[in-house]
Amino acid sequence: MLIAGELNKLKSVTIATPFFNEEPGLENFFNILKKINFLLNDKIKVKYLFIDDGSVDGTKSKLIKFKDQNPNYNIEVHSHERNMGYGKTLKNSIFLSNSNYLITYDSDCTYDYNIIDSLIKNIEIDNYDIIN
């Protein structure tokens, strides 16, 4: 049985997203990010970590523009000078995350964003170290 207030043991989460030449799909990603932010609002402190993996289109500049236009979101934008691959972006996500937990969410929004709330609840309730 959960006592009131116990569900908020989780203090912070980083949601990391790797990008590589994703300019055409960024508007959809930004719309989903706003829904994620609304979903998690007041539940947990959220940091968004965008890692551009050496894109040669306008991805990086659009990420920075979105960050600048949304100062109420805790967004960090990092970039590789050249494409380093998905594995390197994941490794950097772990290195750059300074929260209790890390969730990776792909820029093409393949998975329903509502799953993030479920992941967080499962971590809190069952005290897991890793959940997929």
Side-chain angles (χ1 to χ4, degrees):
M1 173 184 263
L2 288 175
I3 299 172
E6 281 190 359
L7 194 59
N8 287 324
K9 290 182 207 172
L10 192 58
K11 304 287 187 226
S12 61
V13 64
T14 297
I15 299 177
T17 304
F19 297 88
F20 179 69
N21 293 337
E22 300 292 343
E23 186 177 12
L26 286 179
E27 289 307 314
N28 180 57
F29 173 78
F30 295 148
N31 288 331
I32 295 295
L33 187 96
K34 290 175 184 177
K35 292 177 183 181
I36 292 169
N37 202 61
F38 182 79
L39 176 74
L40 300 179
N41 191 29
D42 297 329
K43 292 182 184 180
I44 188 169
K45 182 179 174 183
V46 181
K47 171 182 161 182
Y48 299 99
L49 179 60
F50 299 162
I51 301 179
D52 177 61
D53 191 22
S55 295
V56 295
D57 63 1
T59 297
K60 181 180 173 183
S61 62
K62 284 196 172 187
L63 294 174
I64 292 169
K65 182 178 179 182
F66 180 82
K67 176 187 185 247
D68 292 345
Q69 291 176 339
N70 295 279
N72 56 323
Y73 291 22
N74 182 10
I75 299 173
E76 286 184 18
V77 179
H78 295 268
S79 62
H80 300 155
E81 288 185 28
R82 62 180 177 85
N83 184 263
M84 304 291 286
Y86 187 70
K88 182 68 172 177
T89 61
L90 292 179
K91 184 176 179 180
N92 284 346
S93 297
I94 294 167
F95 178 75
L96 294 167
S97 173
N98 57 358
S99 58
N100 298 101
Y101 289 94
L102 169 66
I103 294 174
T104 58
Y105 190 73
D106 289 342
S107 62
D108 61 4
C109 307
T110 302
Y111 299 103
D112 182 354
Y113 69 91
N114 287 295
I115 196 169
I116 293 172
D117 193 43
S118 298
L119 291 171
I120 291 171
K121 286 177 183 174
N122 283 323
I123 289 170
E124 290 176 322
I125 292 169
D126 296 321
N127 199 28
Y128 291 129
D129 290 327
I130 297 173
I131 192 164
N132 183 3

